[in-house]
Each structure stands twice: as C-alpha cells, then as structure tokens.
Amino acid sequence: MNMGGPSTLDEVQFFLTNLFSDPDLIPLPLQKFSAPIIAKRRTPRIVQQYAEIGGGSPILRWTTEQGEGMAKLLEELVGGRFKSYTMFRYANPLTQDTLDEMRRDGIKRAIAFTQYPQYSCSTTGSSLMELWRKSKASKDGIEWSVIDRWGTHPGLVEAFAQNIQATLAQYPESERSSVVLLFSAHSLPMTIVNRGDPYVSEVAATVSAIMDRLGNKNPYRLVWQSQVGPRAWMGPQTSDALKGLAKLGQKNVVLVPVAFTSDHIETLYELDLEYGKEAKEHGLNLRRAESLNASPVFIRALADIVAEHLEAIKSGTRGYTSAQMGLRCPQCPHDRCGEQKAWFAKGGLH
C-alpha cells in the first residue's frame, strides 16, 4: 500500500484530483468542489516536473519489483504460496481495482502492508481508511491483518545504512567524518502534528536507529520537504536547511530520503533537481543516498517483516493489528477513524 504516482503524463491530473480530494491528507474547504479546481490549476506545472524525470513516476515499477521479490522469498522462508498486490491511494491501481483483482483470484487471507515505514493518519491511515470503506461496502469476506509501521526494523535500518555508507565513500577519506547527513522526510501540516499524529516521532526513531548503526560518526539533522500551501508545516524545510548549512560554512552534505521506500517525484525531482540546483548555488558539495528501490537487503527486510508478522499472529503474541494502531490521536476529530481501527482489529470479518 502506498500513495502511488502517475505512470504517464496523461495521468497527472487524475492523480492530483484524487490527492486533493483526500481529507485525511489535505483538508480543504468544500473539498468535493475545490479539489478538482486546484488539481486542474496545478497540472501543467506538475506535468513539466514529471517530464523532467522521464515522463512519469517509477513508483509502480519499483513497488511491483519489491513485492514480487518479497513474495518469492516468503515462499522459501515460510512455505506455501504468496502473491503481492499493489494498492495505490491516488493512482492506478486504486484500492477498488486491487480488491476486484483479489476477489477474482479468490483471495481469502491478506495482509495490508503499508509501504510508509512510519505511521501517519494522513498516509497509512488514509490508505487503511480507503481499504476499510471499499471492503466494508463490498463484503468480500477477506480476512485482513495489518502491518502498519516498521520504521526501526533492523533490515530497513541496514538497507538505509548501506546506501549511506556507499554515498559517504564518494567523499575523500579525510573529509568523510565531517560530511553532514540530512535526513529528509515528507512534511506534515502542524494541524495534524498537534492533534497527536505519531509520524514525526517515528521518523525521528528511524533516523536515530540508522545513526546508531552507523556509529554516530557524522553530524546529522532531520529536515522536512514537500510543503504545500500557506499553512504552517513541520520544519525546518529541507531547502532552508541547505541554505543555513552553507551560511554556517558546511561544504559536504548527503541527502537521505528516510521516509520513502523507492524513487518517485519527491526524490527524483525535488531532491535531485530542485535541491541539487540550490545546493550548487550555495556552494555545497551535495550528494544523495540512493533510494531503497531494488536493494536486496531491503527486499529481504520486507519478507522478514511479513514472516515475523505471520508468526506472531500464529503464536498468539499479537492480534490482527498492532497495539499502536489501536490508539487514536488524542485530538482525533473523526469517529470513522475509531470504526476503521475496530474493523481491522477483528480481521475485517465483522
């Protein structure tokens, strides 16, 4: 499960309309009417951005490759047959399309495995909300369990660490320990953060685990990207951090996309092109750690996470959902959130 992205330029407006129509991600006044208008206005600029990274997002290709690799490993680790399905929130294949495919395949047991390692109501929460709505309406009889967060899993941490080490190795050995690691994650509006969303703390936990694995040898900061609109968002923004580091006399910086599991527009355009250009203008020697993509270490981590999940349910040490998933944000304004969590906690069978 992930947000998805337009595979071609013709799909950009469809993707943006779905994205701006989601109140769990971007609450808007009169959303049903305002979302299509905003999407239409933004489409030409976003089309140009996708054109500059090859004419579309590679997220479907990477997600498919990761899922197929995971399923193959699971058949070796656990035994039996496994099949991965891609379920995107805003692009094809959408939630309903994937559910229809699963129904045609006769699936009766499934795991909702979010590809956002750190939980947020606006990302994993939104995808689960959509899955709940569509499944409840169709009464497809699938028994569900949920992997809702895994930001400190050792396999994920190792995959990130290896990519960072490979990037640091590109700097002269005499400068390597002074290179600043900038961990960049998609930002959140402060309205969501302040109601108790766990995303910020979970991203910070991922960063801390990675730095422990690396021996805490480099200076680092956690920064935030992709702010949209005039409202207050979690900061500092990645762009502002690069500018500030340059003013402080820093020369070498590695950008690490710490909340994404594959390349897409936020890495290929925003990090590589936008921030790459800004860094050059500020006199920074900026490099980016490779995204996880088809990393064998990462794909093995996905398989291990699923195998551990299944074993925990079989042994009775956990239920269909995690203890954390059952807790609503202290200032949660949506009753539907509690209903969705309760439905998944029962395996979606009641």
Side-chain angles (χ1 to χ4, degrees), residues 96-126:
Q96 187 62 62
D97 298 327
T98 302
L99 283 174
D100 290 343
E101 182 184 1
M102 295 171 70
R103 192 176 301 112
R104 289 193 297 270
D105 288 348
I107 300 299
K108 294 300 179 183
R109 174 72 174 94
I111 300 170
F113 189 0
T114 177
Q115 292 306 290
Y116 305 101
Q118 306 90 5
Y119 184 95
S120 172
C121 300
S122 62
T123 53
T124 297
S126 175

Side-chain angles (χ1 to χ4, degrees), residues 331-344:
Q331 303 298 321
C332 177
H334 306 300
D335 289 339
R336 65 178 185 272
C337 185
E339 296 172 20
Q340 172 250 115
K341 290 175 182 294
W343 186 84
F344 279 111

